[in-house]
Every structure is written in structure tokens, then in C-alpha cells.
Amino acid sequence: MLFYWFCFWVAYPVFKLFAPTKIINRKNFLRGEATIIAGNHQSAIDPLLIAIGFRIRPAFLAKHTLFRTRFKAWFFKHVNAIPVDRNEVGLSVIKRCLAELKAGRKLILFPEGTRRISLEESSSLKGGAALFALKAGVYIQPIHYIGKPGFWRRNKLVIGKPFKLTEFEGQKPTKEVIEAAGKIIGQKIIEVREEYLASIWR
């Protein structure tokens, strides 16, 4: 944990200066309890902007190829990254994500699974967020990046209101239930963007 906060405070002024991010509807951000933070995946620095914007230590999924060397594996492990093969999510990944949530921490997930697929096209990729939310019974915090975050630009991150998948309480997380829950998560993320865009045109 000490290593994480050391890296955090080294990165903090750099990102504040060179990748300033305006957080819209900050009041919606749920603090003090386990939450799945789910949003559109726009850039490699997405998790960093969330962590720095709210000064938190979240867990997040990272592609397993980033862990190939001993140093990279050590580094990403200590910044709370969880290696995942997007083609085959193993039981160890599921257990680790649930453990993070049950310990009261925040977990960042991008239901698209990749930066190359839009939320509208990725209904089959939202199962992870839905499964974890149903299993752990936690809130989901929908977020949406407006435009592609990056350095040397002013970034915007819109925060939606947290919600729970209460309509599925008491149901077994079957394939059909997970798919239906995943569609709700995807729609909530899209609504964050649509509501923001509507507000600036009023």
C-alpha cells in the first residue's frame, strides 16, 4: 500500500498539470463503501484519472500481457492491478474482484472490455460487471468520459448516480440474468453521457 501512495503522489502533480480532468457531478460519487465503477473505455490512463480525481486506491483489471516481465508483474501488482485474459476470464480473477468488493474497496471495470468496441456494440462483454455486482450486492457507479482523455488537453469525466441491480435480488446469476443485468449497466453508462449532453444544450 505504501508503494501505491508513493506512486500516487508522484503522479498526482503530473496528471493535474498535463492531463487536467474536469469532474462533472462530483457529488454523485459514492464514498465509504464498496462500489463497482463502470464506464466507457477511452484510453490507457482511464483508471489513473479516476484514482487521482477522487484520491482513492481502486483495484482495476489490466490485460495479462502487461505482467510478462518480473518487474512489470511486481509493479502492476503493487498498484492494485488484476491481470486478466479478455478471451478467458479465469476463476482466480473472479475471486480476486469479489474479494476486493467484499473488503469494502472500489473496483474499476470497463464493460466494453477494450477501447476498440463501443458500449452500443458490446452487449456480450458486460457480464463481468453484472456478475460481480450481483454476487457482491454492491452499488454500481456509472461514469462516462466525454471525448478521449489524454495529455495536453482538458479532459471531462461525468459521474452518474450510483445504483443497485435490485430487480434481480433473489435470482441465481444465470446466463440470462447476467445478460439482462449487463444491458442495464450499459444503458446506465450511456444515459450518463446523454444527460450531460442534454444539459449543456438547455
Side-chain angles (χ1 to χ4, degrees), residues 56-91:
I56 58 175
R57 181 177 174 264
F60 62 97
L61 299 181
K63 57 185 179 180
H64 68 290
T65 53
L66 294 174
F67 294 74
R68 282 179 176 169
T69 69
R70 183 174 296 180
F71 173 76
K72 285 183 178 180
W74 179 87
F75 175 83
F76 283 109
K77 175 183 176 182
H78 283 79
V79 295
N80 228 19
I82 302 171
V84 60
D85 182 346
R86 295 190 181 105
N87 296 318
E88 186 178 355
V89 179
L91 183 60

mmCIF file of all heavy atoms in Angstrom, residues 56-91:
data_model
loop_
_atom_site.group_PDB
_atom_site.id
_atom_site.type_symbol
_atom_site.label_atom_id
_atom_site.label_comp_id
_atom_site.label_asym_id
_atom_site.label_seq_id
_atom_site.Cartn_x
_atom_site.Cartn_y
_atom_site.Cartn_z
ATOM 1 N N ILE A 56 -8.321 7.955 -4.460
ATOM 2 C CA ILE A 56 -8.689 6.630 -3.956
ATOM 3 C C ILE A 56 -7.671 5.593 -4.435
ATOM 4 O O ILE A 56 -6.850 5.863 -5.327
ATOM 5 C CB ILE A 56 -10.101 6.217 -4.419
ATOM 6 C CG1 ILE A 56 -10.191 6.227 -5.959
ATOM 7 C CG2 ILE A 56 -11.158 7.126 -3.801
ATOM 8 C CD1 ILE A 56 -11.509 5.716 -6.499
ATOM 9 N N ARG A 57 -7.749 4.422 -3.843
ATOM 10 C CA ARG A 57 -6.878 3.294 -4.226
ATOM 11 C C ARG A 57 -7.776 2.161 -4.739
ATOM 12 O O ARG A 57 -8.059 1.207 -4.021
ATOM 13 C CB ARG A 57 -6.059 2.826 -3.034
ATOM 14 C CG ARG A 57 -5.097 1.679 -3.334
ATOM 15 C CD ARG A 57 -4.271 1.325 -2.109
ATOM 16 N NE ARG A 57 -3.454 0.137 -2.341
ATOM 17 C CZ ARG A 57 -3.797 -1.096 -1.997
ATOM 18 N NH1 ARG A 57 -4.952 -1.323 -1.376
ATOM 19 N NH2 ARG A 57 -2.996 -2.111 -2.250
ATOM 20 N N PRO A 58 -8.233 2.265 -5.976
ATOM 21 C CA PRO A 58 -9.130 1.229 -6.509
ATOM 22 C C PRO A 58 -8.355 0.050 -7.075
ATOM 23 O O PRO A 58 -7.164 0.158 -7.400
ATOM 24 C CB PRO A 58 -9.864 1.973 -7.621
ATOM 25 C CG PRO A 58 -8.822 2.918 -8.142
ATOM 26 C CD PRO A 58 -8.022 3.342 -6.930
ATOM 27 N N ALA A 59 -9.026 -1.061 -7.219
ATOM 28 C CA ALA A 59 -8.490 -2.179 -7.994
ATOM 29 C C ALA A 59 -9.016 -2.026 -9.415
ATOM 30 O O ALA A 59 -10.091 -1.445 -9.631
ATOM 31 C CB ALA A 59 -8.934 -3.508 -7.398
ATOM 32 N N PHE A 60 -8.266 -2.515 -10.382
ATOM 33 C CA PHE A 60 -8.727 -2.424 -11.771
ATOM 34 C C PHE A 60 -8.138 -3.581 -12.563
ATOM 35 O O PHE A 60 -7.099 -4.147 -12.207
ATOM 36 C CB PHE A 60 -8.349 -1.081 -12.395
ATOM 37 C CG PHE A 60 -6.860 -0.827 -12.468
ATOM 38 C CD1 PHE A 60 -6.151 -1.086 -13.622
ATOM 39 C CD2 PHE A 60 -6.175 -0.320 -11.370
ATOM 40 C CE1 PHE A 60 -4.782 -0.863 -13.690
ATOM 41 C CE2 PHE A 60 -4.804 -0.087 -11.423
ATOM 42 C CZ PHE A 60 -4.112 -0.351 -12.586
ATOM 43 N N LEU A 61 -8.822 -3.940 -13.624
ATOM 44 C CA LEU A 61 -8.364 -5.023 -14.481
ATOM 45 C C LEU A 61 -7.367 -4.489 -15.507
ATOM 46 O O LEU A 61 -7.542 -3.399 -16.037
ATOM 47 C CB LEU A 61 -9.536 -5.680 -15.200
ATOM 48 C CG LEU A 61 -10.612 -6.325 -14.316
ATOM 49 C CD1 LEU A 61 -11.688 -6.961 -15.195
ATOM 50 C CD2 LEU A 61 -10.009 -7.365 -13.393
ATOM 51 N N ALA A 62 -6.337 -5.276 -15.780
ATOM 52 C CA ALA A 62 -5.340 -4.912 -16.789
ATOM 53 C C ALA A 62 -5.024 -6.158 -17.609
ATOM 54 O O ALA A 62 -5.002 -7.277 -17.078
ATOM 55 C CB ALA A 62 -4.079 -4.380 -16.124
ATOM 56 N N LYS A 63 -4.783 -5.971 -18.888
ATOM 57 C CA LYS A 63 -4.525 -7.132 -19.743
ATOM 58 C C LYS A 63 -3.281 -7.880 -19.263
ATOM 59 O O LYS A 63 -2.284 -7.280 -18.873
ATOM 60 C CB LYS A 63 -4.410 -6.729 -21.206
ATOM 61 C CG LYS A 63 -3.358 -5.694 -21.528
ATOM 62 C CD LYS A 63 -3.453 -5.309 -22.995
ATOM 63 C CE LYS A 63 -2.413 -4.249 -23.355
ATOM 64 N NZ LYS A 63 -2.506 -3.863 -24.784
ATOM 65 N N HIS A 64 -3.370 -9.197 -19.303
ATOM 66 C CA HIS A 64 -2.330 -10.046 -18.723
ATOM 67 C C HIS A 64 -0.970 -9.878 -19.383
ATOM 68 O O HIS A 64 0.062 -10.156 -18.772
ATOM 69 C CB HIS A 64 -2.765 -11.513 -18.801
ATOM 70 C CG HIS A 64 -2.831 -12.053 -20.198
ATOM 71 N ND1 HIS A 64 -3.785 -11.656 -21.108
ATOM 72 C CD2 HIS A 64 -2.049 -12.972 -20.838
ATOM 73 C CE1 HIS A 64 -3.600 -12.300 -22.255
ATOM 74 N NE2 HIS A 64 -2.554 -13.092 -22.123
ATOM 75 N N THR A 65 -0.943 -9.378 -20.620
ATOM 76 C CA THR A 65 0.338 -9.207 -21.317
ATOM 77 C C THR A 65 1.208 -8.142 -20.653
ATOM 78 O O THR A 65 2.416 -8.113 -20.870
ATOM 79 C CB THR A 65 0.105 -8.835 -22.790
ATOM 80 O OG1 THR A 65 -0.771 -7.696 -22.861
ATOM 81 C CG2 THR A 65 -0.536 -9.997 -23.542
ATOM 82 N N LEU A 66 0.594 -7.272 -19.845
ATOM 83 C CA LEU A 66 1.370 -6.252 -19.146
ATOM 84 C C LEU A 66 2.196 -6.839 -18.005
ATOM 85 O O LEU A 66 3.074 -6.185 -17.466
ATOM 86 C CB LEU A 66 0.436 -5.173 -18.589
ATOM 87 C CG LEU A 66 -0.308 -4.312 -19.606
ATOM 88 C CD1 LEU A 66 -1.290 -3.389 -18.894
ATOM 89 C CD2 LEU A 66 0.678 -3.480 -20.431
ATOM 90 N N PHE A 67 1.928 -8.079 -17.638
ATOM 91 C CA PHE A 67 2.582 -8.719 -16.495
ATOM 92 C C PHE A 67 3.668 -9.709 -16.923
ATOM 93 O O PHE A 67 4.091 -10.543 -16.133
ATOM 94 C CB PHE A 67 1.541 -9.463 -15.648
ATOM 95 C CG PHE A 67 0.539 -8.565 -14.989
ATOM 96 C CD1 PHE A 67 -0.478 -7.957 -15.723
ATOM 97 C CD2 PHE A 67 0.578 -8.331 -13.622
ATOM 98 C CE1 PHE A 67 -1.425 -7.138 -15.110
ATOM 99 C CE2 PHE A 67 -0.361 -7.509 -13.004
ATOM 100 C CZ PHE A 67 -1.356 -6.914 -13.750
ATOM 101 N N ARG A 68 4.126 -9.608 -18.150
ATOM 102 C CA ARG A 68 5.021 -10.625 -18.693
ATOM 103 C C ARG A 68 6.404 -10.636 -18.028
ATOM 104 O O ARG A 68 6.979 -11.688 -17.815
ATOM 105 C CB ARG A 68 5.162 -10.442 -20.199
ATOM 106 C CG ARG A 68 3.962 -10.991 -20.966
ATOM 107 C CD ARG A 68 4.112 -10.777 -22.447
ATOM 108 N NE ARG A 68 3.006 -11.394 -23.189
ATOM 109 C CZ ARG A 68 2.768 -11.189 -24.479
ATOM 110 N NH1 ARG A 68 3.564 -10.386 -25.169
ATOM 111 N NH2 ARG A 68 1.749 -11.786 -25.071
ATOM 112 N N THR A 69 6.962 -9.484 -17.740
ATOM 113 C CA THR A 69 8.279 -9.449 -17.101
ATOM 114 C C THR A 69 8.119 -9.398 -15.587
ATOM 115 O O THR A 69 7.080 -8.997 -15.067
ATOM 116 C CB THR A 69 9.087 -8.229 -17.567
ATOM 117 O OG1 THR A 69 8.481 -7.035 -17.052
ATOM 118 C CG2 THR A 69 9.147 -8.162 -19.084
ATOM 119 N N ARG A 70 9.151 -9.791 -14.898
ATOM 120 C CA ARG A 70 9.093 -9.847 -13.436
ATOM 121 C C ARG A 70 8.856 -8.452 -12.842
ATOM 122 O O ARG A 70 8.067 -8.293 -11.914
ATOM 123 C CB ARG A 70 10.384 -10.440 -12.885
ATOM 124 C CG ARG A 70 10.392 -10.611 -11.385
ATOM 125 C CD ARG A 70 11.625 -11.343 -10.914
ATOM 126 N NE ARG A 70 11.670 -12.702 -11.437
ATOM 127 C CZ ARG A 70 12.662 -13.557 -11.175
ATOM 128 N NH1 ARG A 70 13.669 -13.193 -10.408
ATOM 129 N NH2 ARG A 70 12.625 -14.779 -11.677
ATOM 130 N N PHE A 71 9.546 -7.448 -13.387
ATOM 131 C CA PHE A 71 9.385 -6.095 -12.848
ATOM 132 C C PHE A 71 7.979 -5.566 -13.087
ATOM 133 O O PHE A 71 7.353 -4.999 -12.188
ATOM 134 C CB PHE A 71 10.403 -5.132 -13.473
ATOM 135 C CG PHE A 71 10.160 -3.692 -13.076
ATOM 136 C CD1 PHE A 71 10.504 -3.243 -11.815
ATOM 137 C CD2 PHE A 71 9.543 -2.806 -13.966
ATOM 138 C CE1 PHE A 71 10.262 -1.925 -11.429
ATOM 139 C CE2 PHE A 71 9.297 -1.489 -13.586
ATOM 140 C CZ PHE A 71 9.656 -1.051 -12.323
ATOM 141 N N LYS A 72 7.463 -5.733 -14.304
ATOM 142 C CA LYS A 72 6.113 -5.255 -14.616
ATOM 143 C C LYS A 72 5.077 -5.955 -13.746
ATOM 144 O O LYS A 72 4.135 -5.327 -13.259
ATOM 145 C CB LYS A 72 5.801 -5.465 -16.099
ATOM 146 C CG LYS A 72 6.494 -4.493 -17.033
ATOM 147 C CD LYS A 72 6.060 -4.740 -18.468
ATOM 148 C CE LYS A 72 6.707 -3.739 -19.412
ATOM 149 N NZ LYS A 72 6.285 -3.982 -20.818
ATOM 150 N N ALA A 73 5.245 -7.257 -13.571
ATOM 151 C CA ALA A 73 4.304 -8.001 -12.732
ATOM 152 C C ALA A 73 4.324 -7.465 -11.311
ATOM 153 O O ALA A 73 3.277 -7.285 -10.676
ATOM 154 C CB ALA A 73 4.652 -9.486 -12.747
ATOM 155 N N TRP A 74 5.517 -7.196 -10.791
ATOM 156 C CA TRP A 74 5.655 -6.650 -9.434
ATOM 157 C C TRP A 74 5.014 -5.270 -9.336
ATOM 158 O O TRP A 74 4.267 -4.982 -8.409
ATOM 159 C CB TRP A 74 7.132 -6.561 -9.072
ATOM 160 C CG TRP A 74 7.393 -5.990 -7.710
ATOM 161 C CD1 TRP A 74 7.445 -6.661 -6.521
ATOM 162 C CD2 TRP A 74 7.612 -4.605 -7.403
ATOM 163 N NE1 TRP A 74 7.684 -5.789 -5.484
ATOM 164 C CE2 TRP A 74 7.796 -4.518 -5.990
ATOM 165 C CE3 TRP A 74 7.678 -3.446 -8.162
ATOM 166 C CZ2 TRP A 74 8.042 -3.316 -5.350
ATOM 167 C CZ3 TRP A 74 7.921 -2.237 -7.523
ATOM 168 C CH2 TRP A 74 8.095 -2.182 -6.127
ATOM 169 N N PHE A 75 5.303 -4.425 -10.335
ATOM 170 C CA PHE A 75 4.799 -3.048 -10.319
ATOM 171 C C PHE A 75 3.270 -3.017 -10.370
ATOM 172 O O PHE A 75 2.622 -2.369 -9.538
ATOM 173 C CB PHE A 75 5.374 -2.258 -11.492
ATOM 174 C CG PHE A 75 4.810 -0.864 -11.604
ATOM 175 C CD1 PHE A 75 5.316 0.170 -10.853
ATOM 176 C CD2 PHE A 75 3.738 -0.604 -12.465
ATOM 177 C CE1 PHE A 75 4.790 1.450 -10.941
ATOM 178 C CE2 PHE A 75 3.204 0.669 -12.558
ATOM 179 C CZ PHE A 75 3.739 1.696 -11.793
ATOM 180 N N PHE A 76 2.697 -3.711 -11.350
ATOM 181 C CA PHE A 76 1.239 -3.657 -11.510
ATOM 182 C C PHE A 76 0.522 -4.307 -10.336
ATOM 183 O O PHE A 76 -0.565 -3.871 -9.943
ATOM 184 C CB PHE A 76 0.824 -4.287 -12.834
ATOM 185 C CG PHE A 76 1.061 -3.396 -14.017
ATOM 186 C CD1 PHE A 76 2.071 -3.674 -14.926
ATOM 187 C CD2 PHE A 76 0.284 -2.268 -14.208
ATOM 188 C CE1 PHE A 76 2.305 -2.835 -16.006
ATOM 189 C CE2 PHE A 76 0.504 -1.421 -15.285
ATOM 190 C CZ PHE A 76 1.522 -1.702 -16.189
ATOM 191 N N LYS A 77 1.119 -5.326 -9.752
ATOM 192 C CA LYS A 77 0.528 -5.941 -8.568
ATOM 193 C C LYS A 77 0.445 -4.924 -7.433
ATOM 194 O O LYS A 77 -0.565 -4.854 -6.715
ATOM 195 C CB LYS A 77 1.359 -7.147 -8.131
ATOM 196 C CG LYS A 77 0.870 -7.780 -6.835
ATOM 197 C CD LYS A 77 1.775 -8.929 -6.408
ATOM 198 C CE LYS A 77 1.331 -9.496 -5.064
ATOM 199 N NZ LYS A 77 2.231 -10.596 -4.613
ATOM 200 N N HIS A 78 1.482 -4.111 -7.273
ATOM 201 C CA HIS A 78 1.534 -3.174 -6.153
ATOM 202 C C HIS A 78 0.736 -1.894 -6.388
ATOM 203 O O HIS A 78 0.573 -1.094 -5.465
ATOM 204 C CB HIS A 78 2.989 -2.842 -5.807
ATOM 205 C CG HIS A 78 3.670 -3.933 -5.036
ATOM 206 N ND1 HIS A 78 4.168 -5.074 -5.641
ATOM 207 C CD2 HIS A 78 3.898 -4.075 -3.701
ATOM 208 C CE1 HIS A 78 4.690 -5.858 -4.724
ATOM 209 N NE2 HIS A 78 4.528 -5.293 -3.549
ATOM 210 N N VAL A 79 0.254 -1.695 -7.631
ATOM 211 C CA VAL A 79 -0.664 -0.566 -7.852
ATOM 212 C C VAL A 79 -2.098 -1.074 -7.955
ATOM 213 O O VAL A 79 -2.986 -0.377 -8.426
ATOM 214 C CB VAL A 79 -0.273 0.272 -9.094
ATOM 215 C CG1 VAL A 79 1.075 0.939 -8.878
ATOM 216 C CG2 VAL A 79 -0.291 -0.570 -10.374
ATOM 217 N N ASN A 80 -2.300 -2.325 -7.521
ATOM 218 C CA ASN A 80 -3.631 -2.920 -7.380
ATOM 219 C C ASN A 80 -4.276 -3.304 -8.706
ATOM 220 O O ASN A 80 -5.506 -3.315 -8.827
ATOM 221 C CB ASN A 80 -4.569 -1.997 -6.595
ATOM 222 C CG ASN A 80 -5.308 -2.743 -5.500
ATOM 223 O OD1 ASN A 80 -4.900 -3.813 -5.086
ATOM 224 N ND2 ASN A 80 -6.403 -2.174 -5.037
ATOM 225 N N ALA A 81 -3.454 -3.634 -9.709
ATOM 226 C CA ALA A 81 -3.989 -4.112 -10.984
ATOM 227 C C ALA A 81 -4.197 -5.614 -10.918
ATOM 228 O O ALA A 81 -3.430 -6.339 -10.281
ATOM 229 C CB ALA A 81 -3.039 -3.766 -12.124
ATOM 230 N N ILE A 82 -5.239 -6.086 -11.583
ATOM 231 C CA ILE A 82 -5.572 -7.506 -11.612
ATOM 232 C C ILE A 82 -5.398 -7.999 -13.047
ATOM 233 O O ILE A 82 -6.093 -7.531 -13.953
ATOM 234 C CB ILE A 82 -7.030 -7.738 -11.157
ATOM 235 C CG1 ILE A 82 -7.244 -7.184 -9.740
ATOM 236 C CG2 ILE A 82 -7.385 -9.217 -11.224
ATOM 237 C CD1 ILE A 82 -8.692 -7.183 -9.302
ATOM 238 N N PRO A 83 -4.472 -8.938 -13.289
ATOM 239 C CA PRO A 83 -4.258 -9.413 -14.669
ATOM 240 C C PRO A 83 -5.434 -10.244 -15.161
ATOM 241 O O PRO A 83 -5.971 -11.083 -14.434
ATOM 242 C CB PRO A 83 -2.987 -10.271 -14.549
ATOM 243 C CG PRO A 83 -2.974 -10.732 -13.122
ATOM 244 C CD PRO A 83 -3.591 -9.613 -12.323
ATOM 245 N N VAL A 84 -5.831 -10.000 -16.397
ATOM 246 C CA VAL A 84 -6.964 -10.735 -16.958
ATOM 247 C C VAL A 84 -6.734 -10.988 -18.443
ATOM 248 O O VAL A 84 -6.242 -10.119 -19.165
ATOM 249 C CB VAL A 84 -8.286 -9.961 -16.743
ATOM 250 C CG1 VAL A 84 -8.255 -8.600 -17.414
ATOM 251 C CG2 VAL A 84 -9.476 -10.771 -17.242
ATOM 252 N N ASP A 85 -7.086 -12.184 -18.869
ATOM 253 C CA ASP A 85 -7.099 -12.532 -20.285
ATOM 254 C C ASP A 85 -8.531 -12.319 -20.751
ATOM 255 O O ASP A 85 -9.437 -13.037 -20.324
ATOM 256 C CB ASP A 85 -6.676 -13.986 -20.474
ATOM 257 C CG ASP A 85 -6.614 -14.392 -21.945
ATOM 258 O OD1 ASP A 85 -7.147 -13.651 -22.798
ATOM 259 O OD2 ASP A 85 -6.045 -15.458 -22.231
ATOM 260 N N ARG A 86 -8.748 -11.336 -21.604
ATOM 261 C CA ARG A 86 -10.112 -10.995 -22.002
ATOM 262 C C ARG A 86 -10.804 -12.128 -22.758
ATOM 263 O O ARG A 86 -12.021 -12.156 -22.848
ATOM 264 C CB ARG A 86 -10.100 -9.722 -22.857
ATOM 265 C CG ARG A 86 -9.639 -8.487 -22.091
ATOM 266 C CD ARG A 86 -9.884 -7.231 -22.900
ATOM 267 N NE ARG A 86 -9.414 -6.052 -22.178
ATOM 268 C CZ ARG A 86 -8.307 -5.389 -22.475
ATOM 269 N NH1 ARG A 86 -7.538 -5.803 -23.469
ATOM 270 N NH2 ARG A 86 -7.952 -4.319 -21.794
ATOM 271 N N ASN A 87 -10.034 -13.036 -23.309
ATOM 272 C CA ASN A 87 -10.635 -14.152 -24.039
ATOM 273 C C ASN A 87 -11.066 -15.286 -23.114
ATOM 274 O O ASN A 87 -11.880 -16.126 -23.501
ATOM 275 C CB ASN A 87 -9.646 -14.688 -25.076
ATOM 276 C CG ASN A 87 -9.315 -13.668 -26.140
ATOM 277 O OD1 ASN A 87 -10.200 -12.968 -26.614
ATOM 278 N ND2 ASN A 87 -8.044 -13.564 -26.489
ATOM 279 N N GLU A 88 -10.515 -15.305 -21.911
ATOM 280 C CA GLU A 88 -10.845 -16.378 -20.975
ATOM 281 C C GLU A 88 -10.633 -15.881 -19.546
ATOM 282 O O GLU A 88 -9.521 -15.955 -19.012
ATOM 283 C CB GLU A 88 -9.990 -17.613 -21.240
ATOM 284 C CG GLU A 88 -10.384 -18.812 -20.386
ATOM 285 C CD GLU A 88 -9.548 -20.031 -20.703
ATOM 286 O OE1 GLU A 88 -8.736 -19.965 -21.651
ATOM 287 O OE2 GLU A 88 -9.692 -21.032 -19.999
ATOM 288 N N VAL A 89 -11.673 -15.357 -18.940
ATOM 289 C CA VAL A 89 -11.585 -14.839 -17.576
ATOM 290 C C VAL A 89 -11.579 -16.014 -16.600
ATOM 291 O O VAL A 89 -12.546 -16.756 -16.494
ATOM 292 C CB VAL A 89 -12.765 -13.899 -17.255
ATOM 293 C CG1 VAL A 89 -12.656 -13.393 -15.819
ATOM 294 C CG2 VAL A 89 -12.768 -12.724 -18.231
ATOM 295 N N GLY A 90 -10.467 -16.189 -15.903
ATOM 296 C CA GLY A 90 -10.318 -17.329 -15.007
ATOM 297 C C GLY A 90 -11.022 -17.143 -13.677
ATOM 298 O O GLY A 90 -11.402 -16.029 -13.294
ATOM 299 N N LEU A 91 -11.159 -18.241 -12.953
ATOM 300 C CA LEU A 91 -11.809 -18.221 -11.646
ATOM 301 C C LEU A 91 -11.040 -17.359 -10.658
ATOM 302 O O LEU A 91 -11.629 -16.706 -9.801
ATOM 303 C CB LEU A 91 -11.938 -19.649 -11.106
ATOM 304 C CG LEU A 91 -12.662 -19.821 -9.768
ATOM 305 C CD1 LEU A 91 -14.093 -19.309 -9.860
ATOM 306 C CD2 LEU A 91 -12.634 -21.289 -9.346
#
